[in-house]
């Protein structure tokens, strides 16, 4: 048994310690908001937070989260930055297919939680690991700025 | 019943909006609504007045689950934000895409095919509800009007909500003719409206095929022959089953699956079993073989798509002949949601949970594979985590059912990203020879274009081939818009070695044709030492819509104003899918030949606009998709297998590389055009033309990669 804390709730899970958090969340806990995209930490679709830090859950074993706080997209609205990011995403109609957006929102929320007024370079560096094949990047950038209350005049 | 349980979960999951987010339409599986009033296949109204729209098209990002309900709500006079949306069940007749002939979301046809039918569906229901109210009040229906989900009789001040009228309305004959609003009467259509599918997509509750969860379900990892046409030789079952959680090994002729209690166990089991393969007949096939075949094929005359005047003679007799060969690579789709499908196959039937652009032909394929009857094969469609044409194919569902034939429980088959990239059905490699004869002033007098490549249509729907010509293969080439006194366009079909499957990819033929036509026109302008915009405009005198989008794009971009060294602007025009798009790309070429598109100006005239913000979003989307492909996209084959495997070596555009994109919409009352694809088709030549402007290097082979000089 592995003991985890997911979105504030204790969970006992019967998986091997090397099992990635992604599959533990999706297939064992049926929390399907966290998405599988590449399995190699290349696309960011599976981004979650461990103690507030963004991690790629497809390459992070459950053992790395024992004794720590796991936050997923299902729980991100419990944080002030998460609520702001979700609201900005809705305001600017960021999503298209939406599949990558859980990961985008988790990365953006981690950025704003640690850096409330990010520059374009800060956004690039925080968000470059998150691929969107629908090409919502311009709106992601604008929505992060909206959530942060910074001007989006120039790219 | 397990399926019912799942449906309940699915329906309630759609309501979990929470967190103070605005309530938007719920989206759910089919057949959950039992409403008394269902005047047509698209629409149901229940006794509370709740409207459910059964969408003939699936949402894959393009905004269809907003724009289509807008058409219904416009005529039905209801609040579109409260319309519930259901994915349609498989049915190639009832939910046919009239522009395609089967149930299909593709080809940028959703609005084009449904603009009238869905408005008519809404108007029909409204007419019946108004009639029901008028009969109850014993007044003339013309004295009543519908507004915000109710019927009003102004003279008496009476009002009845739709919910109170559905039982009476359901007993009325369905009128054959109903009046549709004039565009000037539209309240919703033509004004930006927030997407209806956003709430679930920002809180993790939106359900894609990969999110299907069923009691007792198992998870399978699959490995398919790494070489095209290879066979499974062996797998170490004992080692695979030694992995904790692994239950079963399913051997197929050309694939093997490990079934386990969760996906990670299945993946580990697959790795431990280390399948061995017979490489098969394509073991030595490499790109050079494929390209050589195409080059050879393109030397032969092909099926004639267009022949006006004597282009060969005119070119031979011209002051100068300009000619070029253009090549475009195999491309993967790389949708963010990897291929997956969940199947529960029993003696009674087969339930399939998948996101598909083609439910009807998917159902037929499963019927053929299993011998089950139509009503026994139930396709539960889902939101698509990207389509781009990949989910116009049902190979992933067939593979999952092949595996499920050996598994007692419901089983979810997920392809790894590597499987997804290496067993895609690829955008075909195309090889185009093009030439023109020009006069002393550089004006083109004749144009000759031969296209060689795989025919997707010949495999997918042979009936679409007309007079020996594949209309997709010659799309945007046959109907290129520039006026010449002689034009010849022909097509040679040349398939890659068997086992390498080609398929639809965003923009389809128009993407391939537009790249060649718009690049070569740029070459002709350069030869004539003329401005590329002016050169195009002179050949478009009879096409005011095309001239307008080009001129607007040029104006927006500061066309003609000088740029620093190493920067350039390129322009391109795409007429396709019933729309006209012009784009200017501004590019910076760095000291090491690094190409960076910095700005894109996009002007679109798609006729009548339904949701302008969706049009903008689709242009942004198409542009990023096209830039990705033009800069990096390439699937190559060596020793019978695909060399790329994941986002590390199949590179796609990321946020830090994305240019600023400005989209301008042209107001028009022309018939509505498609918007999902022309943005992609247009941007590739606009980018390569910008590289030419910046460096003098003409890109005739995609991707751009490292071709730009240092």
């Amino acid at each position: 048994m592995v003991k985890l804390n997911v979105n504030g709730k204790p969970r006992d899970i019967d998986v091997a310690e090397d099992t990635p958090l992604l599959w533990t969340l999706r297939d064992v806990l049926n929390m399907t908001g966290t998405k599988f995209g590449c399995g190699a930490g290349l696309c960011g679709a599976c981004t979650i937070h461990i103690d507030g830090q963004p991690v790629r859950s497809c390459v992070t074993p459950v053992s790395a989260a024992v004794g720590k706080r796991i936050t997923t997209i299902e729980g991100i609205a419990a944080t002030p930055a998460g609520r702001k990011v979700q609201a900005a995403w809705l305001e600017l109609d960021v999503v298209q297919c939406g599949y990558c957006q859980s990961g985008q929102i988790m990365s953006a929320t981690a950025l704003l939680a640690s850096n409330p007024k990010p520059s374009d370079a800060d956004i690039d560096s925080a968000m470059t690991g998150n691929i969107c094949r629908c090409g919502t990047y311009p709106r992601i950038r604008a929505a992060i700025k909206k959530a942060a209350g910074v001007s989006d005049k120039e790219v | 019943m397990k399926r019912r349980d799942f449906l309940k979960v699915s329906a309630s999951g759609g309501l979990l909006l929470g967190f103070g987010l605005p309530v938007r339409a719920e989206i759910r599986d089919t057949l959950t609504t039992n409403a008394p009033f269902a005047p047509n296949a698209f629409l149901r109204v229940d006794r509370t007045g709740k409207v459910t729209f059964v969408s003939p098209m699936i949402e894959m990002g393009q905004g269809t689950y907003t724009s289509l309900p807008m058409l219904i709500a416009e005529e039905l006079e209801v609040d579109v934000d409260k319309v519930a949306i259901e994915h349609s069940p498989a049915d190639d007749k009832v939910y046919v895409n009239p522009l395609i002939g089967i149930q299909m979301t593709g080809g940028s046809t959703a609005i084009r095919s449904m603009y009238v039918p869905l408005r008519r569906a809404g108007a029909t229901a409204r007419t019946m509800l108004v009639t029901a109210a008028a009969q109850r009040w014993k007044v003339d229906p013309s004295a009543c009007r519908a507004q915000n989900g109710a019927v009003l009789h102004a003279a008496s001040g009476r009002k009845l909500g739709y919910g109170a009228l559905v039982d009476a309305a359901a007993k009325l004959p369905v009128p054959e003719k109903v009046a549709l609003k004039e565009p000037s009467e539209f309240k919703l259509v033509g004004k930006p409206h927030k997407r209806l599918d956003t709430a679930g997509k920002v809180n993790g509750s939106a359900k894609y095929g990969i999110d299907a969860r069923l009691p007792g379900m198992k998870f399978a990892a699959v490995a398919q022959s790494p070489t095209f046409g290879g066979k499974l030789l062996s797998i170490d079952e004992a080692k695979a089953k030694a992995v904790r959680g692994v239950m079963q090994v399913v051997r197929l002729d050309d694939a093997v699956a490990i079934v386990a209690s969760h996906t990670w166990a299945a993946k580990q089991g697959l790795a431990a079993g280390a399948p061995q393969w017979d490489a098969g007949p394509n073991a030595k096939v490499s790109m050079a073989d494929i390209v050589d075949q195409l080059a050879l094929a393109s030397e032969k005359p092909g099926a004639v798509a267009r022949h006006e005047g004597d282009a060969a003679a005119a070119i031979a007799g011209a002051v100068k002949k300009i000619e070029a060969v253009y090549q475009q690579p195999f491309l993967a789709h790389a949708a963010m949601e990897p291929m997956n499908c969940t199947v529960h196959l029993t003696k009674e039937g087969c339930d399939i949970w998948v996101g598909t652009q083609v439910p009807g032909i998917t159902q037929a394929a499963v019927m053929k594979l299993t011998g089950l009857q139509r009503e026994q094969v139930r396709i539960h469609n889902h939101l698509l985590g990207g389509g781009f044409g990949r989910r116009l194919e049902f190979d992933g569902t067939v593979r999952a059912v092949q595996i499920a034939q050996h598994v007692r429980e419901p089983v979810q088959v997920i392809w790894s990203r590597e499987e997804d990239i290496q067993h895609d059905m690829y955008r075909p490699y195309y090889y185009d020879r093009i030439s023109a004869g020009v006069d002393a002033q550089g004006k083109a007098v004749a144009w000759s274009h031969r296209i060689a490549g795989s025919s997707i249509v010949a495999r997918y729907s042979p009936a679409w081939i007309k007079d020996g010509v594949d209309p997709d293969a010659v799309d945007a080439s046959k109907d290129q818009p520039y006026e010449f006194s002689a034009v010849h366009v022909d097509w040679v079909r040349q398939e890659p070695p068997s086992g390498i499957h080609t398929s639809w990819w965003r923009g389809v033929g128009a993407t391939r044709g537009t790249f060649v036509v718009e690049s070569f026109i740029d070459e002709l302008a350069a030869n004539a030492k003329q401005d590329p915009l002016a050169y195009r405009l002179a050949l478009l005198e009879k096409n005011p819509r095309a001239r307008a989008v080009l001129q607007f794009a040029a104006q927006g971009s500061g066309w003609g104003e000088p740029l620093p060294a190493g920067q350039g602007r390129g322009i391109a025009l795409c007429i396709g899918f019933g729309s006209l798009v012009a784009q200017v790309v501004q590019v910076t070429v760095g000291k090491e030949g690094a190409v960076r598109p910095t700005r894109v100006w996009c002007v679109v005239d798609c006729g009548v606009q339904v949701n302008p913000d969706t049009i903008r979003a689709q242009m942004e989307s198409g542009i990023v998709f096209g830039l990705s492909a033009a800069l990096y996209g390439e699937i190559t084959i060596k020793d019978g297998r695909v060399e790329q495997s994941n986002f590390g070596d199949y590179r796609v555009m990321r946020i830090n590389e994305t240019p600023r994109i400005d989209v301008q919409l042209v107001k028009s009352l022309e018939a509505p055009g498609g918007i999902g694809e022309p943005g992609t088709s247009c941007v590739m030549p606009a980018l390569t033309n910008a590289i030419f402007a910046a460096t003098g290097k003409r890109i005739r082979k995609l991707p751009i990669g490292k071709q730009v000089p240092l």
Side-chain angles (χ1 to χ4, degrees), chain B residues 322-345:
Chain B
I322 317 269
E323 56 190 332
V325 167
Y326 282 85
Q327 296 180 66
Q328 298 175 75
F330 289 119
L331 291 171
H333 300 81
M336 288 313 296
E337 181 189 10
M339 292 294 281
N340 67 87
C341 178
T342 305
V343 182
H344 193 199
L345 179 63

Side-chain angles (χ1 to χ4, degrees), chain B residues 447-686:
Chain B
W447 173 276
S448 181
H449 183 178
R450 176 168 303 147
I451 301 139
S454 164
S455 174
I456 304 162
V457 167
R459 172 184 60 80
Y460 198 90
S461 185
W464 296 348
I465 296 207
K466 288 270 157 57
D467 301 326
V469 176
D470 173 344
D472 168 66
V474 301
D475 196 7
S477 302
K478 175 188 172 189
D479 299 320
Q480 62 76 22
Y482 301 104
E483 286 174 52
F484 309 107
S485 50
V487 177
H488 181 84
V489 180
D490 63 358
W491 167 66
V492 181
R493 182 179 176 190
Q494 176 62 52
E495 296 297 332
S498 69
I500 301 171
H501 297 294
T502 59
S503 187
W504 313 110
W505 190 94
R506 194 174 194 173
V508 290
T511 287
R512 302 186 306 266
T514 301
F515 175 66
V516 177
V517 168
E518 286 298 311
S519 295
F520 195 59
I521 276 286
D522 225 63
E523 293 207 43
L524 298 182
N527 173 74
K529 297 189 168 51
Q530 288 181 24
D531 172 69
L533 169 66
Y535 194 85
R536 283 171 171 81
L537 292 175
L539 295 168
L540 289 167
E541 282 177 359
K542 291 177 190 155
N543 197 331
R545 290 177 81 188
R547 291 172 59 89
V549 290
L550 282 167
Q551 285 168 319
F552 284 136
Q555 283 162 16
S557 71
W559 187 262
E561 290 168 20
L563 286 169
Q567 294 187 31
R569 294 186 196 94
I571 195 163
L573 169 69
C574 172
I575 301 180
F577 312 97
S579 295
L580 298 93
V581 173
Q583 290 169 0
V584 172
V585 171
Q586 185 168 318
V587 76
T588 299
V589 177
K591 286 206 176 79
E592 278 119 40
V595 172
R596 181 174 162 76
T598 54
R599 298 285 299 265
V600 180
W601 293 268
C602 173
V603 177
V604 54
D605 172 357
C606 61
V608 167
Q609 301 163 14
V610 176
N611 189 356
D613 196 50
T614 289
I615 298 166
R616 290 178 190 282
Q618 280 307 292
M619 290 300 129
E620 293 160 9
S621 174
I623 287 165
V624 172
F625 203 81
L627 289 175
S628 261
L631 287 166
Y632 320 117
E634 180 176 36
I635 288 290
T636 55
I637 293 159
K638 190 181 178 194
D639 296 336
R641 60 179 74 197
V642 167
E643 293 187 279
Q644 294 73 24
S645 65
N646 206 322
F647 291 117
D649 50 18
Y650 191 76
R651 193 174 161 191
V652 298
M653 183 163 259
R654 293 173 184 265
I655 194 169
N656 60 316
E657 302 158 319
T658 301
R660 175 172 161 188
I661 300 169
D662 292 282
V663 180
Q664 182 185 345
L665 311 185
V666 177
K667 283 220 165 95
S668 167
L669 289 175
E670 300 280 346
I675 46 119
E677 298 175 271
T680 297
S681 307
C682 196
V683 79
M684 300 196 203

Side-chain angles (χ1 to χ4, degrees), chain B residues 190-352:
Chain B
K191 298 183 179 69
H193 198 91
K194 286 276 172 64
R195 292 181 69 111
L196 303 179
D197 60 345
T198 317
K201 291 179 174 180
V202 304
N203 67 17
S205 68
K207 299 295 179 206
Y208 302 84
I210 203 168
D211 300 327
R213 290 292 176 269
L214 298 155
M217 73 187 284
K218 306 300 174 209
F219 298 85
V222 62
Q224 304 172 88
S225 170
T227 52
F228 295 106
K231 305 288 179 199
L232 178 68
L233 274 180
S234 65
I235 179 163
D236 189 333
E237 289 206 21
K239 281 190 181 164
K241 286 180 175 167
V243 173
R244 182 177 162 193
V246 170
M247 288 143 175
Q248 201 179 339
V249 177
V250 176
R251 294 165 180 256
L252 301 172
D253 188 40
D254 58 343
V256 61
I258 305 293
V259 181
S261 57
H262 56 79
T263 305
W264 178 247
K267 283 171 175 276
Q268 295 289 93
L270 197 54
Q276 303 296 307
W277 307 91
D278 171 357
N282 293 320
K284 300 282 183 218
V285 168
S286 290
M287 281 317 291
D289 305 311
I290 295 166
V291 177
D292 288 352
Q293 276 184 344
L294 284 163
L296 200 61
S298 80
E299 287 173 8
K300 297 177 290 195
V304 177
R306 179 173 173 185
H307 188 81
E308 292 166 12
D310 189 343
I315 292 171
V319 172
K320 188 174 175 187
K321 179 181 181 183
I322 317 269
E323 56 190 332
V325 167
Y326 282 85
Q327 296 180 66
Q328 298 175 75
F330 289 119
L331 291 171
H333 300 81
M336 288 313 296
E337 181 189 10
M339 292 294 281
N340 67 87
C341 178
T342 305
V343 182
H344 193 199
L345 179 63
T346 67
K347 284 185 191 132
E348 286 76 43
C350 187
D351 282 283
I352 292 167

